[in-house]
Amino acid sequence: MPNDLRPGTCRACEGGVQPLSAAEIDAALADLPGWIWRDNGLEKTFQFRNFYETMAFVNALAWIAHREDHHPDLQVSYNRCTVRYCTHAVGGVTENDLICARAVMALVQ
């Protein structure tokens, strides 16, 4: 896994982008520890020591989402944040979701 926060670049979801197959998603999950594939999306819950750390993570995630123009669904509470990626335009997981999940993993390493 790359050590930078730019493990790829998202591309526009219009124009023939298709969801990844189950085999492609399963193979990708081997390099994304703790991420699960559920309800046509990828998700992982991150634990933190306090609200400040949680919000710092959320703000860093917002920067990644803005840069890639690909935005996760977030569930935020005091000491945890669940991140969920799904390309709603195609109703499933695309390479963009994997790129962003990898960037999140690089962020927390």
Side-chain angles (χ1 to χ4, degrees):
M1 184 175 310
N3 289 329
D4 64 13
L5 297 182
R6 191 117 182 143
T9 302
C10 291
R11 60 185 190 144
C13 297
E14 299 82 26
V17 173
Q18 297 294 316
L20 298 174
S21 69
E24 291 170 314
I25 294 168
D26 286 340
L29 286 175
D31 293 328
L32 292 168
W35 289 81
I36 59 171
W37 178 35
R38 174 174 45 207
D39 299 327
N40 291 322
L42 301 177
E43 65 182 62
K44 178 176 173 135
T45 299
F46 295 86
Q47 296 282 335
F48 302 97
R49 289 183 293 203
N50 54 48
F51 188 68
Y52 176 80
E53 287 184 6
T54 303
M55 292 311 297
F57 172 76
V58 168
N59 286 327
L61 243 171
W63 178 80
I64 292 168
H66 175 73
R67 180 195 64 204
E68 296 299 339
D69 196 24
H70 194 71
H71 306 87
D73 294 323
L74 303 175
Q75 182 179 358
V76 179
S77 58
Y78 174 76
N79 66 344
R80 67 182 173 276
C81 178
T82 299
V83 180
R84 179 176 168 76
Y85 283 105
C86 174
T87 302
H88 300 290
V90 300
V93 174
T94 65
E95 186 62 33
N96 288 351
D97 300 305
L98 296 176
I99 288 167
C100 290
R102 289 180 191 117
V104 172
M105 293 305 290
L107 174 67
V108 298
Q109 286 184 338

